[in-house]
Amino acid sequence: ASDRPAGLSNASKQLRRAIWDPLADALEGVETLYLVPDGAFHLIDLYALALDDGRFLVEIGPQIRWLDSGRDLALYAASVARKLDEPTILAVGDVNFDERAASVGTTGDGTRNVALYRGVSASCDVFRQTRWSPLSQSMQEVEAVEAAFDASRVRRLAGTHATEECFKEEAAGNDVLHIATHGFFLNDRCAGAETNPLLLSGLVFAGANQREVSETQDDGILTAEEVGALDLRNVELAVLSACDTGRGEVAVGEGVFGLRRAFHVAGVSTVVMSLWPTPDAAAQGWMAQFYSGLGQGRSIAQSARDASLARLEQLRAQRLPTHPQHWCGFIAAGDWR
C-alpha cells in the first residue's frame, strides 16, 4: 500500500504467499483457526500479513486463536470458562523509573535513554547502561481498564509504588494483571544466562534506573525466570503492554523461552503480549479498544481482533500510515474465551 514502506509491504506479501496462500483453499469458509505455532512462527502475527489489494489478513481471514499445544483444545473444552464480568484487577502504569532523562537520545554521562518505545532490544552492555524514561500514555491505559469495569475492583500500582516487590506480593490475588511499562528482550547471551534464556527477557518496574546501587533483591527488573517462580494459578488474564513481551529464545518443538512461557508456567490462563517494539501512543490506543470489548462481554480473542480492526479503521479514517506497528502486534495466547 502507498502508506507503508515498499520493502515492508513486499516482504509481508512474500511471507503471506509462502505460509498462508498454500492453505487458503482448505481454510475457505473457516470462521476460527486454532493455531499451534512452532519455531519462528511464534514471532509472526498472521493478522498483519499484507494482501495484494492493500488490505490485511485480519480484515478477511478467520479468527485466529493462538495455543501452546494441541492438548489445550481438550483442556479448555473440559473446563468451565470464567467470565470477566466482575474481575479483580491489578493495573500497573505511570511507573517511576527514576526520571533521570527526559527525551530520546544520549545523556551527558553517555547513557542511553528510551522514551518513544516501550522497551529495548540490545546487547547486555547497552542494557546495563539503559535509563528508562516515563511512559506518558500508560496511566491512560489504567484509566481505560477502570472505565471498562468497576473502578473499585481495580488496584493501581503507579509511580514509586509500582515496584517489583509490590507486584510479586499482590499479583496472585487478582483475576487480571495489566502491566503497562517497558519490556526488554536481549538478543545477545548475557553473562550467567548461557544456560537460562529466561534471564534474557523481562519487565521494568519502579527504581530500575537505580538498580546498580540497590541493596535488595528488588532491583526493578522482573525477569521471565522470576515470573515463572510465582504462583499465578488464579490469574485468568495477564496483559503485557510493553515491547517484545512475546519474544524470547526460540526452540523448535519447545516454543519460546521468555515472558510468554514464564506466565503460562506460573499458571496464567491467557497472556496478551507484543511481538515487536510498540510505540507508547499506539499501545494505549489498542489497549483502550481491547478493554472496551472485554467490558462489553466479548471474548478475549474477539476483543483482541476487534481492537486491531478498530485501530486500523481509525488510521485509515485519519489518512495516517497503516504500518502494522501502529495497529497490531499484540496477540492473545491461551484460553480465548
Side-chain angles (χ1 to χ4, degrees):
S2 60
D3 57 359
R4 297 192 308 280
L8 173 66
S9 179
N10 291 335
S12 180
K13 291 176 182 177
Q14 291 176 16
L15 182 60
R16 189 211 74 229
R17 291 165 186 154
I19 67 175
W20 184 266
D21 286 2
L23 304 175
D25 290 342
L27 294 173
E28 185 174 355
V30 172
E31 296 182 357
T32 304
L33 172 64
Y34 298 91
L35 178 65
V36 181
D38 193 18
F41 282 89
H42 281 282
L43 308 180
I44 300 173
D45 185 349
L46 295 178
Y47 281 153
L49 294 180
L51 305 177
D52 293 332
D53 61 5
R55 293 180 297 169
F56 295 91
L57 190 61
V58 67
E59 299 177 83
I60 66 156
Q63 184 177 111
I64 301 174
R65 295 172 177 173
W66 281 265
L67 303 174
D68 288 326
S69 67
R71 63 178 177 272
D72 287 348
L73 279 174
L75 173 65
Y76 298 140
S79 64
V80 177
R82 288 181 59 186
K83 299 295 184 181
L84 293 177
D85 49 352
E86 293 185 353
T88 56
I89 304 171
L90 182 65
V92 178
D94 194 27
V95 178
N96 185 339
F97 306 107
D98 182 29
E99 303 174 9
R100 184 180 293 180
S103 62
V104 172
T106 302
T107 62
D109 59 1
T111 57
R112 184 182 175 193
N113 169 28
V114 179
L116 290 182
Y117 288 83
R118 294 193 174 185
V120 60
S121 178
S123 68
C124 300
D125 288 339
V126 172
F127 176 72
R128 282 191 288 267
Q129 298 173 4
T130 296
R131 293 297 177 264
W132 311 95
S133 296
L135 295 170
S136 61
Q137 304 289 326
S138 60
M139 183 49 69
Q140 294 184 36
E141 289 187 22
V142 175
E143 293 169 351
V145 175
E146 294 173 337
F149 300 99
D150 184 347
S152 67
R153 305 185 69 83
V154 180
R155 164 80 165 98
R156 287 188 180 189
L157 280 183
T160 58
H161 298 288
T163 65
E164 176 189 355
E165 182 178 7
C166 285
F167 176 80
K168 289 177 178 178
E169 291 178 352
E170 300 190 26
N174 297 273
D175 299 307
V176 177
L177 304 176
H178 179 81
I179 311 168
T181 185
H182 287 292
F184 65 89
F185 168 64
L186 301 176
N187 292 320
D188 298 339
R189 293 285 188 175
C190 295
E194 290 82 357
T195 60
N196 189 355
L198 295 180
L199 292 174
L200 300 177
S201 58
L203 299 165
V204 185
F205 286 82
N209 287 343
Q210 301 297 326
R211 60 190 181 277
E212 299 92 341
V213 296
S214 174
E215 296 180 357
T216 70
Q217 292 182 343
D218 179 7
D219 59 359
I221 302 297
L222 181 67
T223 66
E225 181 187 50
E226 291 175 294
V227 171
L230 301 177
D231 183 357
L232 302 178
R233 287 174 291 180
N234 292 326
V235 177
E236 291 296 307
L237 172 65
V239 179
L240 312 182
S241 184
C243 281
D244 294 323
T245 49
R247 296 183 64 191
E249 287 291 305
V250 177
V252 175
E254 295 292 339
V256 178
F257 290 91
L259 285 168
R260 170 180 178 173
R261 170 69 64 88
F263 274 94
H264 281 313
V265 167
V268 177
S269 297
T270 310
V271 180
V272 172
M273 56 199 167
S274 63
L275 296 179
W276 49 64
T278 309
D280 192 24
Q284 186 276 325
W286 192 96
M287 289 297 168
Q289 295 288 344
F290 173 71
Y291 279 104
S292 176
L294 287 183
Q296 296 173 35
R298 298 174 193 162
S299 69
I300 294 173
Q302 187 62 55
S303 296
R305 182 180 186 178
D306 287 350
S308 294
L309 285 169
R311 287 288 301 152
L312 182 57
E313 183 179 351
Q314 290 171 356
L315 292 170
R316 284 182 172 149
Q318 298 171 23
R319 298 185 179 277
L320 294 174
T322 56
H323 189 299
Q325 195 173 48
H326 298 290
W327 61 267
C328 73
F330 285 104
I331 65 171
D335 193 342
W336 61 87
R337 298 171 293 176

